[in-house]
Amino acid sequence: MDSAHVARALIDSAGGTPSHTREEIERIGVDEAAAFLAAELAGRVETRALSGSADIQLVFEGSRTMPWVLNVSRSGVSHRSGELQDPEAVVTQDLTEAARSLFGPSGEQSAATRTVFWRDHDDPRVYFDPPPVFPAVERILAALDGHGTPRLAELALRHGSDKWGVHEYTPHYEHHFAPYRDRAVTIVEIGIGGYDDPAAGGGSLRMWKKYFRRGLIYGVDVTDKSFHQEPRVETVVADQADPASLSDLADRIGPIDVVIDDGSHVSADVVTAFGALFPRLRPGGLYVVEDLQTSYWPSFHGAYDDDTGTSVGFLKALVDGLNHAEYPARAGRRPQLTDQTVGGLHFYHNLAFVEKRANTGHGGISRLREAD
Protein backbone atom coordinates (compact mmCIF):
# COMPACT_ATOMS: atom_id res chain seq x y z
CA MET A 1 0.00 0.00 0.00
CA ASP A 2 1.45 3.41 -0.95
CA SER A 3 2.00 6.06 1.71
CA ALA A 4 -1.00 8.16 0.65
CA HIS A 5 -3.34 5.22 1.15
CA VAL A 6 -1.70 4.36 4.47
CA ALA A 7 -2.14 7.95 5.63
CA ARG A 8 -5.79 8.08 4.60
CA ALA A 9 -6.53 4.72 6.21
CA LEU A 10 -4.91 5.74 9.50
CA ILE A 11 -6.55 9.17 9.54
CA ASP A 12 -10.00 7.72 8.85
CA SER A 13 -9.65 4.93 11.38
CA ALA A 14 -8.27 7.26 14.07
CA GLY A 15 -11.54 9.16 13.92
CA GLY A 16 -13.41 6.03 14.96
CA THR A 17 -13.04 3.70 17.91
CA PRO A 18 -9.73 2.25 19.11
CA SER A 19 -10.79 -1.18 17.87
CA HIS A 20 -11.43 0.32 14.42
CA THR A 21 -7.92 1.79 14.41
CA ARG A 22 -6.39 -1.47 15.57
CA GLU A 23 -8.17 -3.44 12.86
CA GLU A 24 -7.00 -0.98 10.19
CA ILE A 25 -3.39 -1.29 11.37
CA GLU A 26 -3.62 -5.05 11.06
CA ARG A 27 -5.06 -4.66 7.56
CA ILE A 28 -2.26 -2.30 6.53
CA GLY A 29 0.32 -4.51 8.23
CA VAL A 30 1.88 -3.66 11.57
CA ASP A 31 5.38 -3.23 10.15
CA GLU A 32 4.21 -0.88 7.41
CA ALA A 33 2.04 1.06 9.85
CA ALA A 34 4.90 1.33 12.36
CA ALA A 35 7.27 2.58 9.65
CA PHE A 36 4.78 5.20 8.54
CA LEU A 37 4.13 6.38 12.11
CA ALA A 38 7.86 6.53 12.91
CA ALA A 39 8.43 8.71 9.85
CA GLU A 40 5.44 10.91 10.69
CA LEU A 41 6.63 11.33 14.28
CA ALA A 42 10.19 12.17 13.19
CA GLY A 43 8.85 14.91 10.95
CA ARG A 44 6.79 16.50 13.73
CA VAL A 45 9.52 16.78 16.40
CA GLU A 46 10.56 20.39 17.05
CA THR A 47 14.35 20.42 17.48
CA ARG A 48 15.52 24.00 16.84
CA ALA A 49 16.11 24.77 20.52
CA LEU A 50 18.15 21.62 21.20
CA SER A 51 21.84 22.02 21.96
CA GLY A 52 22.91 18.37 21.84
CA SER A 53 21.99 15.12 20.15
CA ALA A 54 20.78 11.77 21.44
CA ASP A 55 19.88 8.31 20.16
CA ILE A 56 16.58 7.08 21.57
CA GLN A 57 15.05 3.64 21.33
CA LEU A 58 11.40 3.84 20.33
CA VAL A 59 9.49 0.58 20.71
CA PHE A 60 6.07 0.20 19.13
CA GLU A 61 3.95 -2.54 20.61
CA GLY A 62 1.13 -4.19 18.68
CA SER A 63 0.63 -7.79 17.72
CA ARG A 64 4.42 -7.90 18.09
CA THR A 65 7.23 -5.60 19.18
CA MET A 66 8.73 -3.22 16.60
CA PRO A 67 11.91 -1.32 17.65
CA TRP A 68 12.98 1.93 15.99
CA VAL A 69 15.99 4.17 16.55
CA LEU A 70 15.46 7.94 16.56
CA ASN A 71 18.48 10.24 16.39
CA VAL A 72 17.40 13.64 17.68
CA SER A 73 19.58 16.70 17.12
CA ARG A 74 19.22 20.40 16.38
CA SER A 75 19.18 19.67 12.64
CA GLY A 76 16.22 17.29 12.89
CA VAL A 77 15.31 13.67 13.55
CA SER A 78 16.45 10.65 11.59
CA HIS A 79 14.87 7.26 12.06
CA ARG A 80 15.61 3.66 11.23
CA SER A 81 14.32 0.26 12.18
CA GLY A 82 16.49 -1.57 14.68
CA GLU A 83 17.73 -1.86 18.24
CA LEU A 84 20.33 0.08 20.20
CA GLN A 85 22.82 -1.88 22.27
CA ASP A 86 22.76 0.39 25.32
CA PRO A 87 20.13 3.12 24.83
CA GLU A 88 20.12 6.17 27.09
CA ALA A 89 16.33 6.18 26.92
CA VAL A 90 13.65 3.77 25.77
CA VAL A 91 10.14 4.98 24.92
CA THR A 92 7.64 2.12 24.66
CA GLN A 93 4.40 3.02 22.95
CA ASP A 94 1.27 1.15 21.92
CA LEU A 95 0.98 1.35 18.13
CA THR A 96 -2.76 1.96 18.11
CA GLU A 97 -2.48 4.75 20.66
CA ALA A 98 0.29 6.37 18.61
CA ALA A 99 -1.86 6.33 15.48
CA ARG A 100 -4.83 7.84 17.29
CA SER A 101 -2.70 10.51 18.93
CA LEU A 102 -1.02 11.57 15.68
CA PHE A 103 -4.10 11.41 13.45
CA GLY A 104 -7.15 11.38 15.71
CA PRO A 105 -9.38 14.21 16.94
CA SER A 106 -7.96 16.91 19.17
CA GLY A 107 -7.51 15.67 22.71
CA GLU A 108 -6.43 12.15 21.82
CA GLN A 109 -3.17 11.37 23.59
CA SER A 110 -0.95 8.33 23.70
CA ALA A 111 0.15 8.25 27.32
CA ALA A 112 -2.19 5.57 28.66
CA THR A 113 0.22 2.67 28.15
CA ARG A 114 3.43 4.54 27.37
CA THR A 115 6.55 3.96 29.45
CA VAL A 116 9.88 5.80 29.50
CA PHE A 117 13.08 4.20 30.78
CA TRP A 118 16.18 6.30 31.55
CA ARG A 119 19.48 4.43 31.66
CA ASP A 120 21.14 6.66 34.28
CA HIS A 121 18.02 7.74 36.15
CA ASP A 122 19.60 7.00 39.54
CA ASP A 123 22.91 8.78 38.88
CA PRO A 124 23.06 11.89 41.14
CA ARG A 125 24.94 13.80 38.42
CA VAL A 126 21.77 14.17 36.34
CA TYR A 127 20.44 16.61 38.93
CA PHE A 128 23.23 19.08 38.14
CA ASP A 129 24.10 18.27 34.53
CA PRO A 130 21.02 16.96 32.69
CA PRO A 131 22.05 14.88 29.68
CA PRO A 132 20.91 15.80 26.13
CA VAL A 133 18.59 12.80 26.11
CA PHE A 134 16.19 14.53 28.55
CA PRO A 135 15.07 17.34 26.20
CA ALA A 136 15.25 15.00 23.20
CA VAL A 137 12.72 12.61 24.75
CA GLU A 138 10.54 15.53 25.82
CA ARG A 139 10.37 16.77 22.21
CA ILE A 140 9.40 13.31 20.98
CA LEU A 141 6.59 12.97 23.53
CA ALA A 142 5.35 16.50 22.81
CA ALA A 143 5.16 15.70 19.10
CA LEU A 144 3.51 12.37 19.79
CA ASP A 145 0.81 14.08 21.85
CA GLY A 146 0.25 16.87 19.35
CA HIS A 147 1.35 19.77 21.54
CA GLY A 148 2.23 22.90 19.62
CA THR A 149 2.75 25.11 22.67
CA PRO A 150 5.33 24.43 25.41
CA ARG A 151 4.32 21.68 27.80
CA LEU A 152 5.27 21.70 31.45
CA ALA A 153 8.01 19.16 30.74
CA GLU A 154 9.58 21.54 28.25
CA LEU A 155 9.31 24.42 30.72
CA ALA A 156 10.96 22.23 33.37
CA LEU A 157 13.90 21.53 31.08
CA ARG A 158 14.13 25.13 29.94
CA HIS A 159 14.31 26.45 33.51
CA GLY A 160 16.30 23.66 35.14
CA SER A 161 13.61 21.95 37.21
CA ASP A 162 14.03 18.26 38.08
CA LYS A 163 10.27 17.60 37.76
CA TRP A 164 10.91 16.09 34.34
CA GLY A 165 13.77 13.71 33.50
CA VAL A 166 15.04 13.14 37.02
CA HIS A 167 11.38 12.66 37.95
CA GLU A 168 8.36 12.20 35.72
CA TYR A 169 5.96 14.47 37.56
CA THR A 170 5.05 16.97 34.84
CA PRO A 171 2.30 14.92 33.12
CA HIS A 172 0.49 14.55 36.46
CA TYR A 173 0.94 18.23 37.26
CA GLU A 174 -0.49 19.21 33.89
CA HIS A 175 -3.48 16.93 34.44
CA HIS A 176 -4.34 18.46 37.80
CA PHE A 177 -3.21 22.05 37.19
CA ALA A 178 -4.95 22.63 33.85
CA PRO A 179 -8.08 24.17 35.45
CA TYR A 180 -5.90 26.65 37.39
CA ARG A 181 -3.60 27.73 34.57
CA ASP A 182 -5.44 30.92 33.59
CA ARG A 183 -6.59 31.88 37.08
CA ALA A 184 -5.07 34.50 39.38
CA VAL A 185 -3.61 31.88 41.72
CA THR A 186 -1.24 31.92 44.68
CA ILE A 187 1.31 29.09 44.55
CA VAL A 188 3.58 28.11 47.46
CA GLU A 189 6.42 25.68 46.86
CA ILE A 190 8.41 24.38 49.82
CA GLY A 191 12.01 23.78 48.77
CA ILE A 192 13.73 26.01 46.21
CA GLY A 193 16.66 23.69 45.50
CA GLY A 194 20.39 24.13 45.47
CA TYR A 195 20.86 23.22 49.14
CA ASP A 196 22.90 25.89 51.01
CA ASP A 197 24.04 27.74 47.87
CA PRO A 198 21.97 30.96 47.80
CA ALA A 199 22.34 31.30 44.02
CA ALA A 200 21.49 27.68 43.15
CA GLY A 201 18.05 26.22 42.52
CA GLY A 202 14.99 28.23 41.59
CA GLY A 203 14.19 26.27 38.43
CA SER A 204 10.72 25.23 39.52
CA LEU A 205 9.80 28.76 40.59
CA ARG A 206 10.59 30.08 37.12
CA MET A 207 8.74 27.15 35.57
CA TRP A 208 5.60 27.87 37.61
CA LYS A 209 5.80 31.56 36.76
CA LYS A 210 5.79 30.71 33.07
CA TYR A 211 3.04 28.11 33.41
CA PHE A 212 0.72 30.23 35.57
CA ARG A 213 0.73 33.48 33.62
CA ARG A 214 -1.50 35.16 36.24
CA GLY A 215 0.04 33.46 39.24
CA LEU A 216 1.97 34.74 42.26
CA ILE A 217 4.74 32.29 43.13
CA TYR A 218 6.23 31.95 46.63
CA GLY A 219 9.27 29.80 47.24
CA VAL A 220 10.02 28.64 50.81
CA ASP A 221 13.46 27.48 51.93
CA VAL A 222 15.57 27.33 55.08
CA THR A 223 18.33 29.13 53.13
CA ASP A 224 18.05 32.73 51.93
CA LYS A 225 17.25 32.38 48.23
CA SER A 226 16.42 36.02 47.52
CA PHE A 227 18.79 35.77 44.54
CA HIS A 228 15.85 34.22 42.68
CA GLN A 229 13.32 36.97 43.37
CA GLU A 230 11.79 38.64 40.33
CA PRO A 231 8.38 40.01 39.35
CA ARG A 232 5.69 37.52 40.49
CA VAL A 233 8.30 35.35 42.27
CA GLU A 234 9.07 35.91 45.96
CA THR A 235 11.32 33.81 48.17
CA VAL A 236 10.73 33.34 51.89
CA VAL A 237 13.03 32.00 54.60
CA ALA A 238 11.02 29.54 56.66
CA ASP A 239 11.35 26.02 58.03
CA GLN A 240 8.69 23.45 57.17
CA ALA A 241 9.44 21.78 60.50
CA ASP A 242 8.32 25.01 62.21
CA PRO A 243 4.55 25.47 61.75
CA ALA A 244 4.68 29.00 63.15
CA SER A 245 6.93 30.21 60.33
CA LEU A 246 4.57 28.70 57.74
CA SER A 247 1.53 30.24 59.43
CA ASP A 248 3.25 33.63 59.39
CA LEU A 249 3.72 33.27 55.65
CA ALA A 250 0.07 32.31 55.11
CA ASP A 251 -1.08 35.26 57.25
CA ARG A 252 0.92 37.62 55.06
CA ILE A 253 0.00 36.34 51.60
CA GLY A 254 -3.62 35.34 52.23
CA PRO A 255 -5.46 32.26 50.98
CA ILE A 256 -3.36 29.82 48.96
CA ASP A 257 -4.50 27.91 45.89
CA VAL A 258 -1.70 25.35 45.58
CA VAL A 259 0.99 24.07 47.96
CA ILE A 260 3.82 21.90 46.63
CA ASP A 261 5.99 20.15 49.21
CA ASP A 262 9.39 19.55 47.62
CA GLY A 263 11.27 20.33 50.81
CA SER A 264 13.20 18.14 53.23
CA HIS A 265 11.27 14.94 52.33
CA VAL A 266 11.51 13.89 55.99
CA SER A 267 8.18 12.41 57.02
CA ALA A 268 7.79 14.42 60.23
CA ASP A 269 8.42 17.64 58.30
CA VAL A 270 5.95 16.66 55.59
CA VAL A 271 3.23 16.01 58.17
CA THR A 272 4.01 19.22 60.05
CA ALA A 273 3.86 21.36 56.92
CA PHE A 274 0.59 19.77 55.85
CA GLY A 275 -0.94 20.54 59.25
CA ALA A 276 0.12 24.17 58.99
CA LEU A 277 -0.75 24.92 55.36
CA PHE A 278 -3.61 22.65 54.31
CA PRO A 279 -6.08 24.62 56.49
CA ARG A 280 -4.89 27.78 54.68
CA LEU A 281 -5.79 26.45 51.23
CA ARG A 282 -8.82 27.89 49.51
CA PRO A 283 -11.69 25.46 48.99
CA GLY A 284 -10.94 23.82 45.66
CA GLY A 285 -7.19 24.08 46.23
CA LEU A 286 -4.56 21.39 45.86
CA TYR A 287 -1.84 20.18 48.21
CA VAL A 288 0.96 18.21 46.50
CA VAL A 289 3.61 16.05 48.17
CA GLU A 290 6.62 14.99 46.10
CA ASP A 291 9.34 12.38 46.58
CA LEU A 292 7.31 9.96 48.63
CA GLN A 293 10.00 7.33 48.11
CA THR A 294 11.77 8.75 51.18
CA SER A 295 8.83 7.59 53.28
CA TYR A 296 10.30 4.09 52.95
CA TRP A 297 13.96 5.06 53.50
CA PRO A 298 15.44 4.82 57.01
CA SER A 299 18.00 7.47 56.05
CA PHE A 300 15.08 9.94 55.90
CA HIS A 301 13.50 8.54 59.07
CA GLY A 302 11.11 6.51 56.93
CA ALA A 303 10.19 2.85 57.21
CA TYR A 304 9.29 0.10 54.77
CA ASP A 305 7.83 -2.36 57.29
CA ASP A 306 5.65 -0.03 59.39
CA ASP A 307 4.18 3.18 57.96
CA THR A 308 3.15 4.56 61.35
CA GLY A 309 4.46 8.11 61.39
CA THR A 310 5.60 8.16 57.77
CA SER A 311 4.32 10.57 55.15
CA VAL A 312 2.79 7.73 53.14
CA GLY A 313 1.11 6.38 56.27
CA PHE A 314 -0.25 9.85 56.98
CA LEU A 315 -1.66 10.13 53.46
CA LYS A 316 -3.18 6.65 53.67
CA ALA A 317 -5.04 7.75 56.79
CA LEU A 318 -6.60 10.59 54.78
CA VAL A 319 -8.34 7.93 52.71
CA ASP A 320 -10.16 6.78 55.84
CA GLY A 321 -11.09 10.41 56.51
CA LEU A 322 -12.45 10.70 53.00
CA ASN A 323 -14.89 7.94 53.94
CA HIS A 324 -15.37 9.01 57.57
CA ALA A 325 -19.15 9.08 57.35
CA GLU A 326 -19.29 5.38 56.55
CA TYR A 327 -17.79 4.25 59.86
CA PRO A 328 -20.41 2.71 62.20
CA ALA A 329 -20.63 4.38 65.59
CA ARG A 330 -19.32 1.28 67.37
CA ALA A 331 -16.06 1.57 65.42
CA GLY A 332 -15.05 4.32 67.82
CA ARG A 333 -13.14 6.26 65.19
CA ARG A 334 -12.20 9.72 66.42
CA PRO A 335 -13.08 12.58 64.05
CA GLN A 336 -10.09 14.21 62.36
CA LEU A 337 -9.74 17.87 61.38
CA THR A 338 -9.37 16.87 57.72
CA ASP A 339 -12.42 14.59 57.56
CA GLN A 340 -14.73 17.25 56.15
CA THR A 341 -12.16 19.14 54.06
CA VAL A 342 -10.30 16.45 52.11
CA GLY A 343 -12.46 15.80 49.07
CA GLY A 344 -10.14 13.69 46.92
CA LEU A 345 -6.74 11.98 46.82
CA HIS A 346 -4.69 11.01 43.80
CA PHE A 347 -1.55 8.89 44.09
CA TYR A 348 1.17 8.42 41.49
CA HIS A 349 4.67 7.04 41.68
CA ASN A 350 6.34 9.04 44.51
CA LEU A 351 3.72 11.79 44.18
CA ALA A 352 0.35 12.60 45.78
CA PHE A 353 -2.32 15.28 45.22
CA VAL A 354 -4.82 16.13 47.97
CA GLU A 355 -7.94 18.11 47.01
CA LYS A 356 -9.47 20.52 49.48
CA ARG A 357 -13.25 20.63 49.15
CA ALA A 358 -16.30 19.94 51.27
CA ASN A 359 -16.74 16.31 52.26
CA THR A 360 -19.97 15.95 54.20
CA GLY A 361 -20.10 12.21 53.66
CA HIS A 362 -23.63 12.13 52.25
CA GLY A 363 -24.35 9.17 50.01
CA GLY A 364 -24.16 6.19 52.35
CA ILE A 365 -27.33 4.52 53.67
CA SER A 366 -26.89 4.71 57.42
CA ARG A 367 -29.43 2.06 58.37
CA LEU A 368 -27.60 -0.49 56.23
CA ARG A 369 -24.26 0.58 57.65
CA GLU A 370 -25.44 0.18 61.24
CA ALA A 371 -26.96 -3.20 60.44
CA ASP A 372 -23.60 -4.69 59.47
Side-chain angles (χ1 to χ4, degrees):
M1 189 181 296
D2 63 41
S3 62
H5 284 90
V6 172
R8 175 52 57 193
L10 289 174
I11 290 170
D12 288 346
S13 69
T17 65
S19 61
H20 185 196
T21 309
R22 191 175 302 109
E23 290 168 3
E24 192 63 34
I25 287 173
E26 291 292 335
R27 192 181 70 82
I28 294 168
V30 291
D31 288 324
E32 188 171 355
F36 185 86
L37 292 172
E40 177 70 23
L41 176 60
R44 293 196 189 188
V45 177
E46 174 57 61
T47 63
R48 286 175 296 177
L50 295 178
S51 58
S53 64
D55 287 325
I56 296 161
Q57 183 77 70
L58 173 66
V59 180
F60 284 129
E61 291 190 331
S63 55
R64 63 177 176 277
T65 297
M66 292 149 283
W68 285 80
V69 177
L70 302 182
N71 175 263
V72 183
S73 68
R74 187 183 181 90
S75 60
V77 180
S78 62
H79 63 287
R80 62 177 174 83
S81 177
E83 297 186 26
L84 291 169
Q85 291 299 312
D86 186 24
E88 292 184 88
V90 179
V91 177
T92 303
Q93 176 65 64
D94 179 79
L95 190 63
T96 299
E97 281 192 347
R100 293 180 64 78
S101 179
L102 290 170
F103 294 116
S106 176
E108 287 280 357
Q109 292 191 16
S110 53
T113 63
R114 176 196 301 152
T115 61
V116 180
F117 168 78
W118 307 102
R119 184 181 64 195
D120 296 321
H121 70 281
D122 57 351
D123 186 338
R125 289 174 294 182
V126 303
Y127 281 85
F128 309 103
D129 186 21
V133 72
F134 280 8
V137 169
E138 192 282 327
R139 297 299 194 279
I140 288 172
L141 301 189
L144 195 55
D145 286 340
H147 290 278
T149 56
R151 299 192 310 166
L152 193 55
E154 180 180 341
L155 294 176
L157 291 164
R158 183 185 301 175
H159 296 291
S161 170
D162 67 1
K163 297 188 193 308
W164 167 254
V166 176
H167 303 292
E168 295 179 25
Y169 296 155
T170 54
H172 308 306
Y173 273 120
E174 283 194 304
H175 175 71
H176 289 281
F177 283 1
Y180 302 83
R181 186 165 191 179
D182 292 320
R183 299 182 188 176
V185 292
T186 297
I187 312 294
V188 173
E189 179 159 29
I190 302 172
I192 296 176
Y195 300 100
D196 294 334
D197 185 344
S204 294
L205 302 182
R206 293 185 289 273
M207 176 188 72
W208 297 131
K209 176 185 176 180
K210 185 71 173 180
Y211 185 79
F212 295 105
R213 64 184 183 85
R214 302 177 65 209
L216 299 178
I217 316 300
Y218 293 87
V220 177
D221 205 285
V222 293
T223 298
D224 183 355
K225 297 283 185 174
S226 55
F227 175 87
H228 299 290
Q229 293 198 164
E230 57 186 68
R232 293 201 296 117
V233 175
E234 182 177 338
T235 63
V236 179
V237 177
D239 186 348
Q240 74 175 112
D242 175 18
S245 65
L246 298 179
S247 295
D248 288 345
L249 168 64
D251 287 341
R252 181 166 64 83
I253 67 177
I256 302 166
D257 296 282
V258 174
V259 174
I260 302 162
D261 185 345
D262 188 18
S264 72
H265 310 314
V266 174
S267 289
D269 296 348
V270 171
V271 174
T272 296
F274 186 94
L277 292 179
F278 187 78
R280 313 305 286 271
L281 278 180
R282 296 181 191 271
L286 287 173
Y287 197 104
V288 189
V289 183
E290 294 189 3
D291 294 294
L292 288 172
Q293 69 274 14
T294 61
S295 181
Y296 305 98
W297 296 352
S299 58
F300 279 77
H301 307 289
Y304 51 82
D305 54 352
D306 179 5
D307 63 13
T308 304
T310 71
S311 50
V312 167
F314 172 78
L315 292 168
K316 285 181 183 178
L318 295 181
V319 177
D320 291 330
L322 186 63
N323 299 293
H324 69 93
E326 312 312 328
Y327 276 74
R330 64 176 177 275
R333 181 182 181 275
R334 298 177 61 184
Q336 305 296 310
L337 293 176
T338 52
D339 285 354
Q340 295 189 346
T341 54
V342 171
L345 293 114
H346 308 266
F347 291 89
Y348 305 93
H349 183 62
N350 296 335
L351 183 67
F353 291 76
V354 183
E355 298 179 25
K356 184 174 183 179
R357 52 186 170 85
N359 176 28
T360 60
H362 292 315
I365 302 175
S366 60
R367 67 176 180 274
L368 296 180
R369 178 186 63 213
E370 294 297 340
D372 289 340

